[in-house]
Amino acid sequence: MKMNNKYLKFFIFLFLLNTITLSLFFSSHPHLFHHQHHPTTTIITTTHHHYHTTTTTTLKPWPILPSYLPWSLNHNTHFRSCESYFGNGFTRQIDLLKPGSTGSRRTGNGRTSDNGWFRCFYSETLRSSVCEGGGIRMHPDKIKMSSGGEVLESVIGRSEAEELPEYEFGAFDVVNGVNGKRIGERVVGEEFLNQFVERGGVERHTMRELIASMRFVRADEFVCSEWIEEPTLLITRFEYANLFHTITDWYSAYVSSRVTGLPNRPQLVFIDGHCKTQLEETWNAVFSGLRYAKNFSGPVCFRHAILSPLGYETAMFRGLSENIDCDGASAHDLWHKPDDKKTARISEFGEMIRAAFSLPLHQQHHSSKSGSRNHNVLFVRREDYLAHPRHAGKVQSRLSNEQEVFDALKNWSGSHSECKINLINGLFGHMSMKEQVKAIQDASVIVGAHGAGLTHIVSATPETEILEIISSEYRRPHFELISKWKGLNYHPIYLSGSHASPPVVINKLRDILKSIGC
């Protein structure tokens, strides 16, 4: 009974947090009352020539997450604090076009369109902005890139340059029915871009180029073949077939949704021409659906569009080159005692992924306190697969005797008497994304050579132990950092080359299992 009361109080606490967050959101976004009368059910109207179709879609609600903390524009967030890096660091608001006060206007196709609006939230810590606006029109024919969304085998050999967008001026419009003097002008100038959408080390900063292409147009010229009524994230991906870089894109999209206070999970539009990959399964699970920009048949208008920063601008990527000294902590502890050196945001994000696949969030399966005598040891394998049009289908080995190490662990685990060990052969290339995340969630210990598949540890449970086998050629901090930011115990084995001694790996794993009561 005491345990049930504890969970009841915890869920009431989470409900109150969500209620407070929604109240703060609507108090700072009053214009959305006019646009979104029904937050979960929205209407898409499509008009082509002499006919139109109306389709009703439902946005997915945000799940209740144990590690959730309110997302609000707290201007007291300290520069380079953990919250500035991973959460509420976008504290400077720049209004480039405020919602008009003269009411709605009739557009050329008979639809009613409010005056547009556009603003950005800038993070001094990340040197990046999340921008959003309404009354925005996209012209797919003014974006030069491949169609996107094709089957991989049909586009073998296609260059990356063909898949990344090139914008003509006017590829995006913002309707301006208030300040007619600015019709035809750029929404932002070079000075704004240099200050708030910094190019940084990115050779082609596609979000910067998108914003640079935006111009003001009159309301009577704002003709659309299709209206998207629900909030929509506009996203450009670069290394879209690599799990690490895709997770940085997922995180950027998640943060953008929270920073702009969306009451439900948004739709996505990919502003790129990449083909389909297995990773789209998670994009679809976490968000409310996706489309490719080139799949629209004509000018498409957005009631509310959000520009998600590049994954390269997230703390998960920036941490590879700058010191982000943050330790993972529970949301409960940080709620009662905020700490600039601790974060629960990566845990929150991992729970979001698990919840998106309807996996349990309160699962405890390998704590020694629970008396469990069964432990899953997940060995994340590297295997050959065709990743993208320019890939030969062969992955570079980071552990030259991986099969030998796996077989040795299998023989040892079968005779381990202290407790039952289930060695899981983590052939992720042959598993769905949901199966991969579930395998991570169910693992007491995750073992693997340095490789993108280990990025899944963002979804690991709090007690999970991480054992990374690191060759001399790939000594990079990706997974040590994620473990630190989640508060997971991390154990490295450094190799002099790429060959690991099976007894060394077994001894290390034995010590880890002893530490958790096995």
Side-chain angles (χ1 to χ4, degrees):
M1 181 63 70
K2 289 183 178 180
M3 182 62 68
N4 290 337
N5 288 335
K6 177 182 177 181
Y7 279 117
L8 178 61
K9 291 179 180 178
F10 185 67
F11 278 111
I12 292 173
F13 165 72
L14 290 177
F15 175 78
L16 291 174
L17 283 184
N18 278 282
T19 302
I20 293 169
T21 302
L22 287 175
S23 299
L24 290 171
F25 164 72
F26 283 114
S27 65
S28 61
H29 295 68
H31 58 281
L32 292 182
F33 281 113
H34 180 72
H35 295 321
Q36 298 171 314
H37 301 293
H38 305 286
T40 58
T41 302
T42 53
I43 306 296
I44 301 177
T45 300
T46 307
T47 304
H48 295 289
H49 301 295
H50 300 294
Y51 68 92
H52 70 272
T53 60
T54 301
T55 305
T56 301
T57 63
T58 302
L59 296 180
K60 299 175 184 176
W62 293 111
I64 295 176
L65 306 174
S67 294
Y68 176 86
L69 288 172
W71 291 74
S72 59
L73 292 178
N74 180 0
H75 295 282
N76 294 322
T77 303
H78 297 157
F79 176 61
R80 291 187 177 175
S81 65
C82 294
E83 184 63 2
S84 288
Y85 272 114
F86 293 100
N88 293 305
F90 297 87
T91 55
R92 182 173 178 182
Q93 180 176 327
I94 307 100
D95 290 293
L96 292 146
L97 180 65
K98 294 184 177 181
S101 59
T102 58
S104 302
R105 294 171 180 264
R106 188 69 59 180
T107 65
N109 63 355
R111 286 296 309 275
T112 298
S113 173
D114 296 331
N115 296 312
W117 56 279
F118 192 77
R119 65 184 178 187
C120 294
F121 300 99
Y122 179 69
S123 168
E124 185 180 0
T125 296
L126 291 173
R127 306 177 300 283
S128 175
S129 290
V130 174
C131 299
E132 64 173 342
I136 293 176
R137 178 174 61 184
M138 177 180 71
H139 297 272
D141 61 335
K142 293 184 179 182
I143 307 174
K144 182 182 177 182
M145 63 185 177
S146 48
S147 296
E150 307 95 343
V151 175
L152 169 58
E153 287 75 12
S154 69
V155 292
I156 295 297
R158 185 169 65 188
S159 69
E160 184 178 25
E162 294 177 77
E163 297 177 345
L164 293 176
E166 292 183 17
Y167 300 101
E168 294 180 24
F169 178 59
F172 284 81
D173 301 321
V174 179
V175 62
N176 186 358
V178 178
N179 187 357
K181 294 181 181 179
R182 298 192 64 188
I183 297 302
E185 293 182 8
R186 296 184 184 274
V187 174
V188 303
E190 195 73 14
E191 183 180 351
F192 174 89
L193 293 172
N194 289 338
Q195 186 173 359
F196 300 113
V197 193
E198 300 176 38
R199 190 180 303 278
V202 183
E203 184 177 348
R204 292 186 59 182
H205 197 302
T206 47
M207 280 297 114
R208 176 188 172 100
E209 293 167 2
L210 186 158
I211 297 173
S213 79
M214 299 174 74
R215 65 176 180 178
F216 288 116
V217 296
R218 294 200 307 267
D220 58 3
E221 296 178 345
F222 203 69
V223 180
C224 312
S225 65
E226 183 169 344
W227 269 93
I228 306 295
E229 300 286 348
E230 59 265 88
T232 303
L233 290 180
L234 307 183
I235 294 169
T236 300
R237 303 161 298 158
F238 279 77
E239 300 174 67
Y240 66 101
N242 177 284
L243 182 63
F244 173 78
H245 290 285
T246 298
I247 283 184
T248 66
D249 285 334
W250 293 340
Y251 191 71
S252 181
Y254 178 71
V255 170
S256 298
S257 303
R258 292 302 200 179
V259 166
T260 53
L262 300 185
N264 297 285
R265 290 186 260 173
Q267 296 275 358
L268 308 176
V269 170
F270 287 155
I271 316 290
D272 60 52
H274 300 312
C275 64
K276 287 184 178 178
T277 72
Q278 183 185 19
L279 299 173
E280 285 191 27
E281 181 186 344
T282 305
W283 280 112
N284 276 306
V286 174
F287 299 97
S288 292
L290 66 87
R291 298 174 72 176
Y292 285 79
K294 279 292 191 179
N295 294 169
F296 292 98
S297 59
V300 57
C301 295
F302 299 96
R303 194 69 69 185
H304 186 189
I306 301 98
L307 277 59
S308 181
L310 304 182
Y312 297 131
E313 298 175 52
T314 62
M316 293 183 69
F317 185 83
R318 291 273 170 83
L320 301 178
S321 58
E322 59 186 87
N323 183 29
I324 302 179
D325 186 17
C326 296
D327 292 313
S330 74
H332 178 271
D333 291 344
L334 290 176
W335 175 258
H336 290 284
K337 187 179 179 181
D339 190 330
D340 282 351
K341 291 293 186 180
K342 295 181 179 179
T343 183
R345 294 298 184 191
I346 298 296
S347 294
E348 175 187 335
F349 171 60
E351 290 166 0
M352 179 69 234
I353 295 174
R354 287 160 57 194
F357 285 120
S358 301
L359 297 173
L361 299 181
H362 297 281
Q363 179 171 305
Q364 290 187 350
H365 48 78
H366 54 262
S367 172
S368 59
K369 295 180 180 179
S370 67
S372 172
R373 304 297 294 172
N374 296 328
H375 294 273
N376 287 347
V377 175
L378 172 65
F379 196 116
V380 179
R381 307 289 298 276
R382 287 180 63 81
E383 54 183 323
D384 293 338
Y385 71 103
L386 188 62
H388 55 76
R390 298 157 296 282
H391 192 247
K394 298 287 185 181
V395 299
Q396 187 174 5
S397 175
R398 309 287 172 80
L399 178 58
S400 59
N401 63 328
E402 181 181 284
Q403 188 63 50
E404 179 189 4
V405 173
F406 177 80
D407 291 341
L409 288 175
K410 186 176 182 179
N411 291 334
W412 172 78
S413 63
S415 60
H416 191 71
S417 58
E418 285 78 2
C419 60
K420 180 175 175 53
I421 298 174
N422 304 310
L423 183 66
I424 309 300
N425 193 6
L427 294 171
F428 283 178
H430 293 80
M431 300 164 65
S432 70
M433 295 304 294
K434 180 175 181 177
E435 290 171 333
Q436 294 177 38
V437 175
K438 187 177 187 305
I440 291 289
Q441 174 182 268
D442 292 344
S444 299
V445 184
I446 298 172
V447 184
H450 184 92
L454 283 179
T455 321
H456 270 310
I457 65 176
V458 296
S459 299
T461 58
E463 305 89 6
T464 306
E465 306 280 331
I466 310 300
L467 172 56
E468 183 181 6
I469 304 171
I470 307 169
S471 71
S472 58
E473 189 177 352
Y474 291 96
R475 293 192 176 178
R476 299 170 183 170
H478 297 64
F479 313 115
E480 180 179 6
L481 288 172
I482 294 174
S483 299
K484 177 179 172 63
W485 296 333
K486 276 182 63 70
L488 304 179
N489 291 327
Y490 173 83
H491 312 270
I493 296 178
Y494 296 105
L495 307 180
S496 59
S498 62
H499 185 279
S501 167
V504 170
V505 178
I506 289 172
N507 288 336
K508 190 75 169 182
L509 180 58
R510 179 188 290 114
D511 291 342
I512 293 171
L513 289 168
K514 282 182 179 179
S515 72
I516 59 175
C518 175

